[in-house]
Amino acid sequence: MSKVLVSDSVDQAGIDILSQVAQVDVNTKLSPEELIKAIPEYDALMVRSGTKVTQEVIEAGNQLKIIGRAGVGVDNIDVPTATRRGIVVVNSPEGNTIAAAEHALAMMLSLSRHIPDANQSVKSGKWERKQFIGSEVYKKTLGVVGLGKIGSHVATVARAMGMKLLAYDPFISAERAEQLGCRLVDLEMIFTEADYITLHIPRTPETENLINAESLAKMKPTTRIINCSRGGVIDEDAIAEAVENGTIGGAALDVFAEEPLGESKLRNVGANMVLTPHLGASTEEAQTNVAVDVAEQIRDVLLGLPARSAVNIPGLNPDVLEKLRPFLQLAETLGNLVGQLAGGRVEQLNVRLQGELTDSQSQPIVVAALKGLLSQALRERVNYVNASIEAKERGIRVIETKDASVHDYSGSLRLEAIGSLGEHSVTGALLSDQEMRITNVDGFPINVPPNNYMLFTLHRDMPGIIGQIGSLLGNFNVNIASMQVGRKIVRGDAVMVLSIDDPLPEDVLTEITKISGIRDAYTIKL
Ligand SMILES: NC(=O)c1ccc[n+]([C@@H]2O[C@H](COP(=O)([O-])OP(=O)(O)OC[C@H]3O[C@@H](n4cnc5c(N)ncnc54)[C@H](O)[C@@H]3O)[C@@H](O)[C@H]2O)c1
Ligand SMILES: O=C(O)CC[C@@H](O)C(=O)O
């Protein structure tokens, strides 16, 4: 049974899902050294933002197949090291979107109405009203920096509250911004015009200290800044000083360059500074969403299925993945088959999506085909994460094409491997019940389901050959489950495909190749 370590506190709903397929150990008190010591026995690790999944942790986890982050940001995980080691890293890109957006809105209103300070004042026995005169957000200008999932929801709600919206996001079209009621502008305009600025961006080299002494100096003395995205995108000393000396009107921060927040000037700013300890995603609903989302993906990967939100393999939305999943299995099976037929070193893999399959995203199908192709050489070391890298390192050229004019089945996939020992091709399709069929081998039409053990022969189409193979297998006690012959012309060349119940011993294969009229024979293990 697989073993999963949960090293931060996550919702029970996620643990319940994992427990269906694995032994789950929850240990939220591990020091970095203890984690390194514990990780070798685990197949999966599930974390929130508390656990630092460093290179050392990942390298010690020699059984690890997947690391799940119950949340959006994966900045606490060394993703490049995980990718190199073929470990899938998954997150929950949407599970806490609403929670984080609502927290940003709550911070904006708290700041503009002095709610935290007023609360503190009443609780300390006072009744102060004059110093807590706030300001309305109605008709004020909100500058949204980062108009992704969270920024978009903030914009939608803020618009409903009567705010005017400016947005800055270099990767979003003006049309998308317009749909959300935002005017797409440059950063300068946000800095100089906005009454409120809310940040919803990742921490990257471009966004590091995006808000700094220089940008703060351009803002109105009434501007309030809200950051519920990532620490490090604001220079904390600079914003503490700017609020303290009235360069800006205030700041509400949920995230910090170093967490937990240690000694900081931010803690000493008296008024107009609202601080929360990274609570953006801390709602019951969001915690259930992210735990379920990530646990389901860990379960799928442990069962050998692809994950829907892997950050280090081609991204697919869940609906697309659900539709594509049977084709990924088909691609992997065909990749494995063509790799075994090719035998030696494969130099080029041609991947052709045919018929209705041409409407699908080809990249995941190509990755699945490569995974199958390389599985003979790399066994379980190859997976959806590293298949493309491994293929590239082996110098395998991949050419993908689409041909909508082929109308067999409801879409089919053709793989052609060109290698040191020649060329081979296989085509496969799915029946209406999603059953896989191999429909062509080296140009010969057939119609067989893939089987664990198979025998393929290329032979002259002449009387007696099939009987001889049948008797030979009988003599060696090899049981035939099914048999089919495909040919292009009568008495030309033909292929025979046998599904057998057990592996074919090497000496039986040698005997088969000695039968007159047999040109080639291959045993296949799928
Ligand atoms: N406080 C919390 O608890 C909490 C919870 C969830 C998410 N987050 C964080 O909030 C942020 C936004 O999350 P999301 O789900 O909306 O992500 P998202 O990927 O949907 O949106 C991020 C947006 O930022 C934009 N962007 C990237 N670089 C930019 C730049 N240099 N300038 C301006 N825009 C840029 C992207 O184009 C994208 O539209 C992330 O950093 C995430 O980790 C925090
Ligand atoms: O509470 C958490 O786990 C952090 C959530 C948030 O920062 C995220 O990236 O999803």
Side-chain angles (χ1 to χ4, degrees), residues 128-149:
E128 300 169 308
R129 299 180 69 219
K130 252 201 227 118
Q131 60 268 57
F132 296 130
I133 298 281
S135 58
E136 292 170 11
V137 297
Y138 182 66
K139 288 199 169 162
K140 297 283 173 9
T141 299
L142 173 66
V144 182
V145 180
L147 203 52
K149 292 182 286 296

Side-chain angles (χ1 to χ4, degrees), residues 37 84 136 139 208 288 375 379 424 470 472 487 515:
K37 217 163 148 213
R84 260 197 319 279
E136 292 170 11
K139 288 199 169 162
E208 193 97 6
T288 306
S375 61
R379 306 281 154 187
H424 287 277
L472 202 131
R487 60 186 187 180
I515 297 173

Side-chain angles (χ1 to χ4, degrees), residues 144-223:
V144 182
V145 180
L147 203 52
K149 292 182 286 296
I150 298 170
S152 297
H153 190 69
V154 168
T156 305
V157 178
R159 190 184 179 197
M161 290 197 293
M163 298 188 83
K164 290 182 262 179
L165 300 173
L166 300 177
Y168 171 71
D169 188 325
F171 308 105
I172 291 286
S173 68
E175 291 73 44
R176 167 72 184 146
E178 215 171 288
Q179 278 169 10
L180 293 162
C182 299
R183 187 150 64 93
L184 207 56
V185 295
D186 60 20
L187 257 187
E188 286 302 301
M189 178 106 169
I190 300 241
F191 292 156
T192 53
E193 298 294 317
D195 300 301
Y196 293 84
I197 298 176
T198 184
L199 306 178
H200 301 289
I201 45 180
R203 180 178 181 169
T204 65
E206 291 75 41
T207 62
E208 193 97 6
N209 286 338
L210 188 85
I211 304 293
N212 52 36
E214 202 186 325
S215 47
L216 287 161
K218 294 177 185 163
M219 296 173 195
K220 302 181 203 175
T222 48
T223 300

Side-chain angles (χ1 to χ4, degrees), residues 48-64:
R48 274 177 68 184
S49 54
T51 304
K52 303 280 171 272
V53 190
T54 57
Q55 181 174 350
E56 292 71 34
V57 172
I58 295 170
E59 285 176 351
N62 44 28
Q63 304 253 54
L64 274 183

Side-chain angles (χ1 to χ4, degrees), residues 3 90 133 150 202 208 236 278 295 318 394 452 471 498 511:
K3 289 184 78 179
V90 298
I133 298 281
I150 298 170
E208 193 97 6
E236 289 171 1
H278 204 145
R394 283 166 174 70
N452 268 0
S471 322
L498 293 168
E511 289 303 313

Side-chain angles (χ1 to χ4, degrees), residues 381-432:
R381 219 172 58 64
V382 64
N383 57 30
Y384 285 93
V385 179
N386 62 5
S388 300
I389 299 176
E390 292 287 350
K392 208 167 168 192
E393 281 177 0
R394 283 166 174 70
I396 300 173
R397 224 150 51 94
V398 180
I399 296 181
E400 26 170 311
T401 50
K402 289 188 171 183
D403 184 352
S405 69
V406 178
H407 288 300
D408 58 345
Y409 303 88
S410 54
S412 58
L413 178 68
R414 182 178 189 275
L415 301 184
E416 184 183 14
I418 303 171
S420 52
L421 302 178
E423 299 181 14
H424 287 277
S425 68
V426 294
T427 306
L430 296 173
L431 302 185
S432 53

Side-chain angles (χ1 to χ4, degrees), residues 305-325:
L305 300 167
R308 58 176 174 255
S309 310
V311 300
N312 55 354
I313 50 176
L316 284 177
N317 75 43
D319 295 346
V320 176
L321 177 67
E322 219 36 56
K323 260 179 74 184
L324 216 51
R325 201 187 290 266

